[in-house]
Amino acid sequence: MRNRGPLLPAVAAATLAVVLTACGSTDTRTVAATASPSSSGAPRADDGVGAALEELDARERVAQLFVAGVPLDDLGSGGEIVRTGVGGVFLHGRTTATAEELASRASAWQEEAPGPGLWVAADQEGGLVQTFKGPDFELLPTAVVQGRLPDPELRALGDRMGAAMSAAGLNVNLAPVTDVVPAGSEAGNEPIGAVERQYGSTAADVAADVAAIADGLAAHGVVPTLKHFPGLGRVQGNTDTSASVVDPGVGPADEQVAAYSDALGRTSAEPFVMMSSAVYPLIDPENQAAFSRPVVTGLLREQLGFDGVVISDDLANADAVEGIPPGERAVRFIEAGGTLVLTVDGGPVPDMIDAVAARAEQDPAFAELVDGAVRTTLAAKDRAGLLG
């Protein structure tokens, strides 16, 4: 029997114990800070990661690179998704369920997972973006309001957010937003500023607040996610609803990028970083950030030194990616240096897994990238207690 993830205080008397069968998992970063990262951010390891890898065949390893959506109004569909061997699930929509109800469902999924324990993720920011609104979750203010709190109060809020999510069986929050919206431009910034998802108007303010929230989440075993790199604070359109979102001004030394660098340096957590699906011509004029090796590998991994889990924004339903076949989306993201493919709709995932597995079988260089991504996510799972 193996423990999977954090304890479920007040709603589960014991830790999540599950029997791992010989099925899909992968490998990721080692815990050793001195290890040398590979081209996709993954140091080599001969520990729990290696043991997990030995239990998985090639396709099962690829499946660990996917976090598939489960609608909160149809949680019963989650079991079928989990049994495919995906690396995690993303709860989308809104719910007033109690923490105990959610934890019970998450525990059942962990039991059903044929490989390593699951990432169980959701968006819990505040304001309009608050997934959980049941009796065990406080009503969270917008990030703008959160950013005005004194640091001790903000850190206390982050701690309460982490405790509530952990109690509900969650181990990943796709937050906090790390994008910088310049003062006076909020209304024209559709995805962030217009709905008050930003913590401030300068990189320094945003980074300090993001680190406070990230630390609070991580204190309860909930992995924070800094998003949307290299920044959506100055775009006009929303990549969820627009096929072509471009930021012509953000370059490698921009304040948008500095907010991520500063936040990563300030937090004691080991967060994920979510990629934007916009185009940044000053960095890569040809590709959206999620599919750009200059952005993911060159800027985030090599220049900023980030060797952790890089997760995509939605690669299933977002209008920004609709012109690219689903399988190619997954291949291009991993080719750029990404780790976890997020799909709000779980439907395309089998075809995406097939596409990645087929490309890896044909292309040794791509197979090495896949191996590095698998090792990165498994190392993060090892740290989260999801491997044993």
Side-chain angles (χ1 to χ4, degrees):
M1 302 287 283
R2 297 184 181 183
N3 282 339
R4 289 188 171 177
L7 299 179
L8 305 181
V11 296
T15 57
L16 294 174
V18 293
V19 176
L20 292 182
T21 60
C23 193
S25 163
T26 62
D27 196 344
T28 78
R29 308 158 44 192
T30 63
V31 183
T34 56
S36 299
S38 73
S39 61
S40 59
R44 301 294 171 175
D46 293 316
D47 49 13
V49 170
L53 281 170
E54 290 180 0
E55 297 182 359
L56 305 168
D57 64 27
R59 193 177 191 281
E60 291 167 345
R61 293 183 182 190
V62 171
Q64 283 292 300
L65 303 181
F66 291 82
V67 177
V70 176
L72 280 160
D73 59 3
D74 186 18
L75 289 176
S77 66
E80 182 178 356
I81 293 173
V82 165
R83 288 189 291 273
T84 67
V86 293
V89 293
F90 167 63
L91 307 186
H92 64 90
R94 299 291 183 268
T95 184
T96 57
T98 66
E100 184 173 6
E101 291 169 335
L102 293 164
S104 176
R105 182 70 69 170
S107 179
W109 289 336
Q110 297 285 15
E111 292 281 356
E112 292 180 84
L118 297 163
W119 298 121
V120 183
D123 281 318
Q124 189 78 341
E125 298 177 17
L128 293 177
V129 187
Q130 178 164 352
T131 298
F132 307 109
K133 296 186 175 182
D136 301 307
F137 302 90
E138 66 181 287
L139 187 63
L140 298 170
T142 67
V144 167
V145 175
Q146 292 179 39
R148 295 172 183 154
L149 296 173
D151 185 70
E153 293 183 27
L154 184 62
R155 288 186 172 276
L157 176 64
D159 187 81
R160 296 195 303 273
M161 290 170 63
M165 293 189 75
S166 178
L170 279 292
N171 53 29
V172 176
N173 189 8
L174 298 182
V177 169
T178 314
D179 306 326
V180 180
V181 180
S185 69
E186 295 86 354
N189 177 232
E190 181 183 343
I192 310 297
V195 284
E196 298 192 350
R197 296 172 70 195
Q198 78 278 16
Y199 282 91
S201 59
T202 69
D205 286 343
V206 168
D209 293 342
V210 162
I213 294 295
D215 288 350
L217 293 168
H220 295 275
V222 178
V223 179
T225 304
L226 279 54
K227 63 183 184 185
H228 313 75
F229 189 84
L232 287 177
R234 289 206 296 264
V235 302
Q236 293 184 332
N238 188 333
T239 55
D240 289 337
T241 57
S242 176
S244 180
V245 178
V246 178
D247 187 328
V250 170
D254 192 86
E255 188 171 36
Q256 298 284 330
V257 176
Y260 287 85
S261 178
D262 194 3
L264 288 168
R266 285 173 176 263
T267 181
S268 60
E270 296 191 66
F272 294 175
V273 173
M274 177 182 285
M275 297 305 302
S276 160
S277 294
V279 176
Y280 301 83
L282 293 182
I283 308 172
D284 182 351
E286 303 297 329
N287 301 289
Q288 294 160 308
F291 307 134
S292 169
R293 193 157 182 84
V295 176
V296 182
T297 297
L299 181 56
L300 178 58
R301 292 208 183 280
E302 294 177 355
Q303 182 171 316
L304 269 61
F306 181 72
D307 68 350
V309 171
V310 175
I311 187 169
S312 73
D313 205 341
D314 178 31
L315 294 187
N317 297 338
D319 285 1
V321 298
E322 65 178 359
I324 305 170
E328 186 179 342
R329 299 170 200 170
V331 168
R332 289 178 61 183
F333 176 68
I334 294 169
E335 197 168 38
T339 311
L340 291 178
V341 175
L342 173 68
T343 69
V344 172
D345 178 2
V349 169
D351 289 343
M352 288 178 160
I353 293 173
D354 287 343
V356 172
R359 173 67 180 277
E361 187 175 358
Q362 299 165 1
D363 183 345
F366 182 74
E368 184 176 353
L369 292 174
V370 170
D371 179 71
V374 170
R375 290 177 182 276
T376 297
T377 191
L378 287 186
K381 283 190 172 185
D382 198 15
R383 291 191 298 273
L386 294 173
L387 295 189

